[in-house]
Amino acid sequence: MKKIKIFRIKLICLSNIVIFAVLLLNSCTKIGPIGPAGPTGPTGPQGPKGSTYLGSVAGYITLYDQYGYPVLSGLSGINIVVDSVGKPIAKTTTDGSGHYFIPKIYTGYYTMAVSNPLTSPSFGNQFGYFGFQADTLQRNVSLSSQANFSPTSVSASYNNTLGVDSLYITVANKDLLTRSVIIFIGNTANVSSSNYLGSKTVSINAGSTVSKISIPAIELAELGIPAGNTVYFAFYGEPVSDKSVYLNPNTGLNVYTALSTTHLIDSTTVATVIP
C-alpha cells in the first residue's frame, strides 16, 4: 500500500514540473519586428450596375416684359426641350397657365432649353442644368422679353484725377418706364455679350434718353486691365432684371439671350488708380 501511494505523489510532482516548464518557455518568447506587407492582390470583379430611376419633370414658365413686369397672356405653346449630351430626349409645350409636364426621365444630368417663339416680342432661350433624382422634379423657369431698343450713341473717357473711366449712353426715344442698358467690359475690340471680362448695368430713367456711369480704375485693374491700357466697352439694351440670363457652368460666365439685337462699342484708356 505504501508503494502505490508514493508512486502517485511522484507522478503528481512530475506533472507540475512539466507544466511549470511550459509556462516558463511561453513567458520567455520574444516577438520580432513586423515584416513588410506583401504585394497587392488582383482587383476583384466589378459589381453590378446600380439601378436607374425613372420619374418626371414639371413646372411653370413665367414671362416678363422688357420693363420687368409679369406677362399674363401668351403662356401657352412655350417650347421645353430636355437633352442629354447634345441629344434631345424629350420635349413638350406649356398649357394656357404656363405649366408643363415631361414624363419618363431617367436619373442623370440634363440640359433644359425654354423658348417662346409664338409671342411678340420674342422671348429668349434659357438653359438650365439639373440632376434628376426624384419622382417629380419641379423646375420653374422665368423668361424676359427681348429688349426692343439699343443705345444709339455712346462715349467713353477717363479721368486720372478722379481715377475713373466714365461712360455716357444715349438712346433714341424717351419711354414712360425705366429701361436698362448692360455694358460688357473687355481688353480687346471684339468684346461682346459672349466675350467679356466683366459687366455693368445702368438704368435709363423714365422720361430720359441718357445715362452715365463711372467705373473706378481699381475695378478695371481687378479684371486684368491695368492703368494706361486700353479698355473696350460693348453696350446693349437689356430687359430690366433680366430673367433669361443663366450661368454656363463650363465657362463660369453668364449667358444672355434677351439682349437687343444690335450694340455699340467704344474704348478708352484705363485711368490711373487712386490709392
Side-chain angles (χ1 to χ4, degrees), residues 126-182:
Q126 185 184 71
F127 289 80
Y129 296 82
F130 61 89
F132 175 76
Q133 291 181 338
D135 287 338
T136 300
L137 174 67
Q138 293 293 325
R139 181 71 176 182
N140 298 324
V141 178
S142 297
L143 292 177
S144 288
S145 173
Q146 186 175 26
N148 65 358
F149 74 97
S150 61
T152 53
S153 68
V154 295
S155 175
S157 61
Y158 69 97
N159 187 318
N160 282 332
T161 302
L162 298 178
V164 298
D165 281 38
S166 298
L167 309 176
Y168 297 85
I169 305 109
T170 303
V171 295
N173 302 308
K174 295 180 180 180
D175 200 301
L176 296 177
L177 299 174
T178 298
R179 292 167 290 177
S180 291
V181 169
I182 187 168

Side-chain angles (χ1 to χ4, degrees), residues 8-269:
R8 287 181 177 176
I9 293 172
K10 289 182 178 180
L11 182 61
I12 292 171
C13 292
L14 182 61
S15 64
N16 287 341
I17 293 171
V18 173
I19 293 171
F20 175 75
V22 172
L23 292 174
L24 182 62
L25 290 173
N26 284 342
S27 65
C28 294
T29 301
K30 188 175 182 180
I31 300 175
I34 299 174
T40 303
T43 303
Q46 184 174 347
K49 183 179 179 181
S51 60
T52 55
Y53 196 93
L54 185 65
S56 306
V57 182
Y60 286 89
I61 309 300
T62 305
L63 304 180
Y64 294 83
D65 62 24
Q66 70 171 349
Y67 307 105
Y69 293 101
V71 175
L72 303 179
S73 60
L75 300 178
S76 62
I78 300 172
N79 294 325
I80 297 97
V81 178
V82 175
D83 72 56
S84 176
V85 197
K87 296 180 180 180
I89 62 169
K91 62 181 179 179
T92 189
T93 57
T94 55
D95 60 20
S97 64
H99 182 263
Y100 74 92
F101 179 79
I102 302 176
K104 299 181 180 180
I105 300 292
Y106 283 101
T107 301
Y109 190 70
Y110 300 97
T111 300
M112 184 167 70
V114 181
S115 60
N116 189 5
L118 303 180
T119 58
S120 181
S122 62
F123 288 78
N125 293 341
Q126 185 184 71
F127 289 80
Y129 296 82
F130 61 89
F132 175 76
Q133 291 181 338
D135 287 338
T136 300
L137 174 67
Q138 293 293 325
R139 181 71 176 182
N140 298 324
V141 178
S142 297
L143 292 177
S144 288
S145 173
Q146 186 175 26
N148 65 358
F149 74 97
S150 61
T152 53
S153 68
V154 295
S155 175
S157 61
Y158 69 97
N159 187 318
N160 282 332
T161 302
L162 298 178
V164 298
D165 281 38
S166 298
L167 309 176
Y168 297 85
I169 305 109
T170 303
V171 295
N173 302 308
K174 295 180 180 180
D175 200 301
L176 296 177
L177 299 174
T178 298
R179 292 167 290 177
S180 291
V181 169
I182 187 168
I183 306 159
F184 295 98
I185 306 166
N187 56 3
T188 63
N190 62 345
V191 60
S192 68
S193 60
S194 59
N195 180 35
Y196 63 94
L197 299 175
S199 64
K200 291 282 188 180
T201 298
V202 297
S203 296
I204 306 291
N205 293 328
S208 177
T209 59
V210 297
S211 186
K212 174 187 175 182
I213 182 175
S214 294
I215 304 176
I218 185 63
E219 291 187 18
L220 298 176
E222 290 173 351
L223 293 176
I225 316 174
N229 284 258
T230 302
V231 57
Y232 298 84
F233 304 97
F235 303 79
Y236 294 77
E238 181 188 30
V240 174
S241 302
D242 191 354
K243 306 295 184 182
S244 292
V245 62
Y246 66 92
L247 177 67
N248 184 331
N250 296 320
T251 64
L253 296 177
N254 285 333
V255 178
Y256 298 84
T257 61
L259 304 182
S260 59
T261 56
T262 60
H263 67 281
L264 296 177
I265 294 179
D266 199 8
S267 64
T268 186
T269 302

